[in-house]
């Protein structure tokens, strides 16, 4: 099973992708605050996105890990379906 690379070791493009996925998870399954924060992240420019990440990095870490777990679960399901065919 693959592990999510530590955020500090990600390339800028990887960070942007995983931050976006984290915000998507925050919007989808987070509480009211996390959902509102995700919306602010989506609407913010690069400077404001960086400010949000700086202030709420721990929350983004949590949802980044959840997004990674979701992708892993989807991949396992695809593999199981492929094995049945």
């Amino acid at each position: 099973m693959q592990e999510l690379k530590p955020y500090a070791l990600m390339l800028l493009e990887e960070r942007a992708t995983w931050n976006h996925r984290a915000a998507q998870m925050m919007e989808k399954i987070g509480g009211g605050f996390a959902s509102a924060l995700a919306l602010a992240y989506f609407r913010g420019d690069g400077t404001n996105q960086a400010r949000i990440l700086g202030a709420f990095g721990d929350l983004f870490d949590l949802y980044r890990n959840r997004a990674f777990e979701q992708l892993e679960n989807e991949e396992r399901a695809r593999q199981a379906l492929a094995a049945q065919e």
Side-chain angles (χ1 to χ4, degrees):
M1 188 174 356
Q2 192 178 8
E3 284 190 30
L4 181 62
K5 190 186 308 185
Y7 188 73
L9 299 178
M10 290 181 186
L11 301 173
L12 289 177
E13 185 176 309
E14 290 174 307
R15 287 183 183 189
T17 298
W18 282 106
N19 289 335
H20 187 82
R21 288 179 178 167
Q24 286 175 321
M25 289 299 287
M26 291 165 71
E27 186 176 36
K28 182 178 176 182
I29 66 169
F33 181 77
S35 294
L37 194 57
L39 181 59
Y41 178 83
F42 288 134
R43 291 191 177 175
D45 60 10
T47 300
N48 285 319
Q49 286 178 343
R51 291 174 69 189
I52 290 169
L53 289 168
F56 301 101
D58 57 334
L59 195 57
F60 274 79
D61 287 342
L62 174 69
Y63 285 95
R64 194 178 299 116
N65 288 330
R66 289 186 180 178
F68 182 75
E69 290 169 5
Q70 180 186 22
L71 284 177
E72 278 192 324
N73 290 337
E74 290 171 0
E75 180 59 29
R76 278 191 218 111
R78 275 193 289 277
Q79 289 174 355
L81 284 173
Q84 290 177 356
E85 294 177 352

